[in-house]
Amino acid sequence: MATLLHIDSSVFPTEASASRAVAEAFRKQWEEQHPEGTVIHRDLAAEPVAHITADAHLAGFVPESAHTPGQAAAFAERVKLIEELERADAILIGAPMYNFTIPSTLKAWLDNVILMGRTAGETQSAKGTPVTVIASRGGSYAPGTPREGYEYVQNYLKAVLADALGLDLEFIVPELTMASKNPAMADLVPLAEASHDRALEAAATRARRLAEHIAA
């Protein structure tokens, strides 16, 4: 049975969050294809993982037999998250842009699962696993736009997910999500709605194709 690891990091509920809404469209299609499968859902806004500590960090570079009690406890929590990553057949991440980058809760999760010599480095224990990132943002940071140089979500996540962890990465980008809330962006509402609709369709299509590929 297929396993989907679903990570949400938006501070808003689904009805007010583009990343959650689009991720939900992906997950719904995935579950239709894998009704007997497993979904591991981590809502980092509701239940954030611990930010990396000195013990948690240093434990990754010390043999387990030499761990202090503090290192052993911290490392055990990291291993739980790493094992979820490793056993997933596909990964879905909601990554809204907050102040030009990802939420700190998502960064904390990444800091925990990136472990040199296991998930990163020469081994890359989850290498090749497909990961779909819903990279929503209030404005547009696409190439050619005035704020292109402020795009630190896709650039960062490509370095971490594709390069460091070796995952098979695809982005879905619903943009202009603040158009309906910001009067100065009122003229952009039709573009925002079109972007949202494209993202929903892309998410369902991506989920269906991945599900079919994994089942084959």
Side-chain angles (χ1 to χ4, degrees):
M1 294 185 291
T3 297
L4 173 68
L5 175 59
H6 177 189
I7 306 293
D8 272 320
S9 62
S10 172
V11 298
F12 298 104
T14 301
E15 59 271 18
S17 168
S19 67
R20 286 183 185 268
V22 175
E24 187 177 78
F26 179 108
R27 179 171 166 175
K28 180 180 178 181
Q29 185 62 233
W30 174 274
E31 290 177 327
E32 287 181 3
Q33 299 294 317
H34 291 292
E36 303 301 321
T38 299
V39 175
I40 301 170
H41 184 213
R42 281 198 172 269
D43 187 337
L44 300 179
E47 296 184 39
V49 302
H51 281 77
I52 204 81
T53 62
D55 278 342
H57 176 70
L58 293 174
F61 299 94
V62 178
E64 290 190 41
S65 59
H67 282 174
T68 66
Q71 289 174 340
F75 193 65
E77 293 303 310
R78 288 188 71 184
V79 169
K80 289 180 185 177
L81 300 174
I82 288 169
E83 289 178 343
E84 289 178 353
L85 177 79
E86 291 174 335
R87 71 172 180 262
D89 294 292
I91 303 163
L92 171 64
I93 299 176
M97 178 186 281
Y98 292 163
N99 299 315
F100 307 119
T101 189
I102 63 173
S104 64
T105 51
L106 181 54
K107 178 63 163 59
W109 179 81
L110 289 167
D111 286 340
N112 276 279
V113 301
I114 297 170
L115 180 60
M116 293 302 298
R118 182 164 176 174
T119 60
E122 294 184 1
T123 53
Q124 294 181 316
S125 56
K127 183 176 182 177
T129 304
V131 56
T132 306
V133 175
I134 314 302
S136 59
R137 61 276 316 273
S140 180
Y141 298 79
T145 62
R147 292 201 168 188
E148 176 184 357
Y150 292 92
E151 206 299 306
Y152 300 112
V153 172
Q154 289 176 265
N155 289 339
Y156 170 69
L157 291 178
K158 179 183 181 301
V160 172
L161 298 174
D163 299 341
L165 298 180
L167 306 179
D168 181 10
L169 172 63
E170 181 169 315
F171 287 105
I172 295 175
V173 185
E175 60 180 11
L176 303 170
T177 63
M178 289 297 295
S180 62
K181 304 174 182 66
N182 184 350
M185 299 176 66
D187 291 345
L188 300 176
V189 168
L191 292 178
E193 292 174 345
S195 178
H196 186 73
D197 290 345
R198 286 194 301 270
L200 291 173
E201 182 177 354
T205 299
R206 168 78 166 168
R208 184 169 56 253
R209 288 176 178 171
L210 286 178
E212 291 171 352
H213 174 73
I214 290 169

